[in-house]
Amino acid sequence: MVLEPPEAIPGNSCNRPGRKVGRRSSDASSRAAPVLPARLGGCQQDQGCFAIVQLETRVSQTVAWLFLVLFPECSGAMRHILSFMERMLFPLPLRVACSLLAWLALYTWFCHRYKHRNYEWSCRLVTLTHGILATCLSAYIGFIDGPWPLSHPGSPNTTLQVHVLCLSLGYFLFDLCWCVYFQAEGALMLAHHLVSILGITASLALGESAAEVNAVIFGSEITNPLLQARWFLKEMGCYHSFTGDVVDFFFVVLFTGVRIGVGAWLMYCELASPKPRWYIKLGGVIMYAVSWVFMVSICRFARRKSMKKYHAWRSRRTDELYLKTNGHLKKH
């Protein structure tokens, strides 16, 4: 089987500004090919939207070509899968249902794998998995693929954004049902999940505002792995150590800088733009208010832990000075 490079795949002429079109492309196709904007966030005209779809097609074709080169024995199955994905367009409810079933299956596997642990252990592993996946995917969308949420709020959804939102919506539905069934979280966390579900659903139904919703997911999930690591350290009896201090420090710094600092900037851009719907703006304000409620609890926790560390240091310092003066430790 002869494998062609990405440039040879139909519809992959890659005629960007400043790059000459190959001889295989006809003059008509080169004239009809749109020019990619400097930032993939406009989507205000049909040409910009078509450019984003064309770029996503090129990326997927390039990844598929690399897969076929690295794993030639799987080329037949891979070609059938790509052909099936091109022909089929699954409706959004079906994608969300598949995501929900996937997270439920992962939770079931974790429960079977860690039988000696409680159910919360398995649920935390699912949460950790989603936190890492959502952070990486939303970071790629926001910083590389676009559109930039601070300059293009309310822009039409891209295909990759829809996939990530469906993935996260399935997780939030699973976690909300788990928390309600086991009564493991308070009203604040349940409200956070409900607002997240409503915001993602509204963005998918409208076909717009996925850029800022994806940014909110990034800000919410970037601290999630650290929060889960803190819980696992407590369960294993390793929290009161240098590792636990490092995890707490980075959690407080990231939460303050991203969810409070960058979150305020994002909320300002969202409210100042006339494009997003009013209920999308309302959801952003509610999410930011929930972050501030969490921030108050985090500040109290940071103050208590800092005072404990300070008093422990003062006690050790006093004992060392007393030992140098009297030659023995003071007995209590």
Side-chain angles (χ1 to χ4, degrees):
M1 181 179 295
V2 179
L3 299 177
E4 297 180 347
E7 291 79 2
I9 301 178
N12 197 24
S13 56
C14 298
N15 48 338
R16 300 182 178 87
R19 180 174 180 177
K20 297 182 179 179
V21 182
R23 295 181 179 178
R24 301 180 185 179
S25 302
S26 62
D27 296 337
S29 62
S30 62
R31 287 195 300 268
V35 179
L36 293 179
R39 184 70 190 174
L40 299 178
C43 281
Q44 299 177 0
Q45 301 177 354
D46 294 339
Q47 184 179 5
C49 296
F50 180 75
I52 292 178
V53 174
Q54 191 179 51
L55 178 62
E56 292 171 354
T57 304
R58 292 169 182 170
V59 172
S60 61
Q61 289 171 342
T62 304
V63 173
W65 178 78
L66 291 175
F67 183 87
L68 292 175
V69 171
L70 295 175
F71 306 99
E73 65 277 3
C74 303
S75 58
M78 188 63 182
R79 292 184 188 276
H80 285 298
I81 293 174
L82 291 175
S83 177
F84 176 77
M85 291 175 63
E86 292 176 357
R87 293 194 307 266
M88 298 296 295
L89 182 61
F90 293 107
L92 292 178
L94 183 58
R95 300 186 201 179
V96 176
C98 292
S99 174
L100 176 61
L101 292 176
W103 292 115
L104 182 61
L106 182 62
Y107 171 74
T108 305
W109 184 83
F110 280 140
C111 290
H112 178 75
R113 176 65 176 80
Y114 301 99
K115 296 179 180 179
H116 57 289
R117 300 287 186 177
N118 54 18
Y119 291 123
E120 187 174 3
W121 180 280
S122 300
C123 185
R124 295 273 182 173
L125 286 176
V126 174
T127 303
L128 177 63
T129 305
H130 172 263
I132 296 174
L133 279 177
T135 301
C136 296
L137 292 174
S138 58
Y140 174 81
I141 291 175
F143 295 105
I144 300 177
D145 189 66
W148 185 240
L150 299 178
S151 58
H152 297 89
S155 58
N157 301 346
T158 64
T159 304
L160 185 57
Q161 287 174 344
V162 171
H163 290 332
V164 175
L165 290 186
C166 290
L167 180 71
S168 294
L169 182 56
Y171 162 75
F172 282 120
L173 289 172
F174 159 78
D175 199 52
L176 178 64
C177 295
W178 191 94
C179 292
V180 171
Y181 181 79
F182 288 96
Q183 299 180 356
E185 296 291 348
L188 184 61
M189 183 59 69
L190 297 180
H192 173 272
H193 278 36
L194 283 175
V195 175
S196 301
I197 291 171
L198 292 177
I200 295 175
T201 304
S203 177
L204 291 174
L206 293 172
E208 61 185 34
S209 295
E212 53 266 38
V213 174
N214 176 80
V216 172
I217 292 177
F218 172 77
S220 301
E221 297 300 327
I222 192 173
T223 56
N224 198 291
L226 295 173
L227 185 63
Q228 306 311 318
R230 183 173 179 269
W231 186 88
F232 284 116
L233 288 174
K234 282 186 175 181
E235 288 292 310
M236 295 184 294
C238 303
Y239 175 69
H240 298 286
S241 61
F242 176 75
T243 304
D245 295 338
V246 171
V247 169
D248 284 340
F249 173 78
F250 282 105
F251 173 77
V252 174
V253 170
L254 281 177
F255 194 98
T256 306
V258 177
R259 294 190 66 166
I260 301 301
V262 181
W265 189 10
L266 177 63
M267 186 181 65
Y268 169 78
C269 297
E270 180 79 5
L271 297 177
S273 176
K275 290 184 179 180
R277 309 295 179 94
W278 66 268
Y279 40 86
I280 297 293
K281 296 182 178 182
L282 179 62
V285 172
I286 294 175
M287 286 294 292
Y288 190 69
V290 170
S291 297
W292 263 109
V293 176
F294 284 134
M295 188 65 204
V296 172
S297 302
I298 291 173
C299 289
R300 292 176 179 174
F301 157 76
R303 182 180 179 276
R304 289 195 305 267
K305 184 164 185 177
S306 299
M307 294 301 296
K308 287 182 180 179
K309 292 289 183 181
Y310 174 73
H311 289 309
W313 175 81
R314 284 286 303 271
S315 177
R316 289 195 302 268
R317 183 65 175 172
T318 303
D319 290 341
E320 290 176 0
L321 293 175
Y322 193 85
L323 178 62
K324 291 180 180 179
T325 304
N326 299 281
H328 60 278
L329 291 174
K330 182 179 178 180
K331 295 181 180 180
H332 296 280

